[in-house]
Amino acid sequence: MTSTFDRVLDQIGADVVSGAIAVGSRRSIDDLVASTGASRSIVREAVRVLVALGLLTARRRVGVTVLGVLEWDVLDPRVVRWRLRGPDGDRVAVELRELRAAVEPAAAAAAARRAPLDECADRREALRTTADELAAAAARDDRLDFVAADVRLHALVLDLSDNALYRRLHRVVGQVLRERGSIRPDRHDVGLHLALAGAVVDGHPDDAAAAMRAIVERT
């Protein structure tokens, strides 16, 4: 069940991202209380989060001011979700695909170079297991389990890259995959993920990068 705080955060965040509250416009806490129907304490807490995400500024005697996209933390999963569901969702999806295409194949290749090391044994096994779980979920058309396994698989590949910047993107990639969770996976999707996991575990960087590139292109 969604809490009142989560509802208010989503409502205000989505309104800012969609342009329903215009860039540069100002709102008082009382205005936001009236529009959300929530308490002042909940609205203030939501505003604090949105300030931290770069969507708003808040000053005494000035109120809350809406900032433009250049100030937003566009790699935060909540901002990713609001943008994908907003009026510019198609353009945002292209931006995210371009980001993933630039990063994930390189991360997969790096993971394949590192995976054969003994220190990665547990993560190698986790990657194999997750790929098998993804395939099993697809076979029984369990989309929730498929998405959960897909998110874990991509996170494991980014983690195995041993690159802190690549790892940082797992939340973005995870949110993108969750947003497309209603799409039915086909055999080719499953085959690509199995090929990716196998190439990483077996230490084949070029094959891992190629499989990941194909996965991103189909997203």
Side-chain angles (χ1 to χ4, degrees):
M1 179 181 293
T2 302
S3 69
T4 301
F5 168 77
D6 288 334
R7 176 184 64 79
V8 170
L9 182 65
D10 277 343
Q11 180 179 333
I12 301 174
D15 283 349
V16 170
V17 168
S18 70
I21 306 178
V23 174
S25 64
R26 294 176 179 174
R27 297 287 189 276
S28 68
I29 294 297
D30 287 339
D31 290 335
L32 296 175
V33 166
S35 65
T36 62
S39 68
R40 288 177 65 84
S41 62
I42 288 177
V43 168
R44 286 186 182 279
E45 183 59 31
V47 166
R48 277 194 286 271
V49 172
L50 293 167
V51 167
L53 293 175
L55 274 67
L56 305 173
T57 60
R59 297 180 182 175
R60 288 187 177 182
R61 301 187 181 89
V62 174
V64 172
T65 303
V66 176
L67 300 179
V69 64
L70 293 179
E71 305 298 329
W72 302 349
D73 182 358
V74 292
L75 296 182
D76 185 277
R78 291 162 293 194
V79 180
V80 170
R81 183 176 74 248
W82 296 329
R83 295 185 75 210
L84 282 172
R85 296 181 182 182
D88 295 327
D90 289 343
R91 178 176 60 81
V92 174
V94 171
E95 292 177 355
L96 290 165
R97 185 161 53 247
E98 289 174 348
L99 173 65
R100 293 183 62 200
V103 172
E104 285 200 271
R113 287 190 290 270
R114 284 194 51 78
L117 301 177
D118 288 342
E119 66 190 63
C120 300
D122 289 345
R123 286 179 289 172
R124 285 201 307 271
E125 184 60 32
L127 186 59
R128 283 194 186 278
T129 299
T130 301
D132 290 342
E133 290 172 350
L134 179 148
R140 63 177 184 271
D141 196 23
D142 188 329
R143 299 182 197 182
L144 287 177
D145 282 356
F146 178 88
V147 171
D150 199 14
V151 170
R152 289 197 304 275
L153 187 147
H154 283 265
L156 282 165
V157 172
L158 291 169
D159 184 48
L160 275 164
S161 74
D162 202 33
N163 182 309
L165 296 177
Y166 291 165
R167 285 170 169 168
R168 171 72 168 80
L169 290 177
H170 83 273
R171 298 190 305 158
V172 176
V173 173
Q175 188 61 48
V176 171
L177 296 174
R178 292 184 188 97
E179 287 297 310
R180 66 184 296 271
S182 62
I183 298 174
R184 175 177 290 176
D186 61 25
R187 290 183 179 179
H188 190 46
D189 288 319
V190 173
L192 286 171
H193 284 80
L194 291 172
L196 169 64
V200 170
V201 169
D202 294 337
H204 301 304
D206 291 344
D207 292 343
M212 182 66 88
R213 190 173 297 110
I215 289 169
V216 173
E217 288 173 355
R218 287 174 60 82
T219 301

